[in-house]
Amino acid sequence: DQQVKQNSPSLSVQEGRISILNCDYTNSMFDYFLWYKKYPAEGPTFLISISSIKDKNEDGRFTVFLNKSAKHLSLHIVPSQPGDSAVYFCAANSGGSNYKLTFGKGTLLTVNP
Amino acid sequence: EAGVAQSPRYKIIEKRQSVAFWCNPISGHATLYWYQQILGQGPKLLIQFQNNGVVDDSQLPKDRFSAERLKGVDSTLKIQPAKLEDSAVYLCASSSTGKEPPFFGQGTRLTVV
């Protein structure tokens, strides 16, 4: 029973264009959502997060949007760069202030020069 | 600042053998997590420590998996006996208080043959 779903295993975009990575969730108790980025042979690295009381959070080229009614969030990367090529994991917190993360399966983003 | 250190990086064992993984969290981090990431899946939380006490081990297969964090710093995760389905990357993560996104180590890739 997957509570956090990333339905696109992979995404390929051209350098300079927008990358949009999607994530759906089923548990209404999730109160915080995070995106992690993972390069091969490395551990996941925290990228950006959003509280369930907000609908948008922006950090430089990265913006996360949350649609609570649809139980959907997305990560926008503008403009995309070749160094952004990695696996992106969506994660949701169900532990309140004590982090307990449930991860999606990840989406492999490839940014072509 | 040094990151989360894990060893070994790779381990190959035969089924029914035992294996242990070691983790040294970021200095001063009270919260330590062990995650299991099976190929093609997102990381799954196995156990969470706060200092040397267990906060959550609800997803730890306790018939074969054990973990300890005796002095509230380093931690070991043991599997005995190993099964083929235990083949995965075992990720250790830590955070300062448990109320922030965790930092991950590079992981230990276990192959059970």
Side-chain angles (χ1 to χ4, degrees), chain A residues 5-71:
Chain A
K5 300 178 184 180
Q6 294 178 257
N7 292 319
S8 297
S10 63
L11 174 68
S12 182
V13 299
Q14 286 299 119
E15 182 178 4
R17 304 294 290 268
I18 184 171
S19 295
I20 300 176
L21 296 98
N22 294 304
C23 178
D24 298 294
Y25 62 96
T26 57
N27 188 344
S28 300
M29 299 303 293
F30 289 142
D31 60 357
Y32 213 78
F33 302 89
L34 304 86
W35 286 92
Y36 275 81
K37 176 179 178 180
K38 185 183 181 304
Y39 292 118
E42 294 185 11
T45 302
F46 170 68
L47 185 60
I48 191 170
S49 62
I50 187 167
S51 166
S52 60
I53 63 173
K54 296 189 175 182
D55 55 18
K56 178 182 175 181
N57 187 28
E58 191 171 353
D59 184 2
R61 296 185 298 113
F62 302 91
T63 303
V64 57
F65 295 92
L66 175 62
N67 182 333
K68 281 190 70 176
S69 61
K71 293 190 175 66

Side-chain angles (χ1 to χ4, degrees), chain B residues 54-109:
Chain B
V54 175
V55 174
D56 186 345
D57 63 357
S58 58
Q59 299 190 93
L60 186 73
K62 298 180 187 64
D63 58 333
R64 299 184 300 106
F65 286 64
S66 64
E68 60 183 12
R69 192 184 185 199
L70 290 176
K71 296 183 179 179
V73 181
D74 294 5
S75 176
T76 56
L77 176 70
K78 296 179 181 177
I79 307 175
Q80 183 179 15
K83 293 185 176 182
L84 296 177
E85 58 260 37
D86 298 331
S87 295
V89 175
Y90 290 85
L91 293 160
C92 180
S94 71
S95 71
S96 179
T97 65
K99 302 184 190 310
E100 330 61 32
F103 292 84
F104 283 82
Q106 291 181 296
T108 296
R109 181 177 295 279

Side-chain angles (χ1 to χ4, degrees), chain A residues 36 41 43 89 97-100 104, chain B residues 9 37 42 48 56 98-99 102 105:
Chain A
Y36 275 81
F89 289 101
S97 60
N98 187 26
Y99 270 69
K100 180 177 177 179
Chain B
R9 289 296 309 278
Q37 185 180 9
Q48 177 184 351
D56 186 345
K99 302 184 190 310

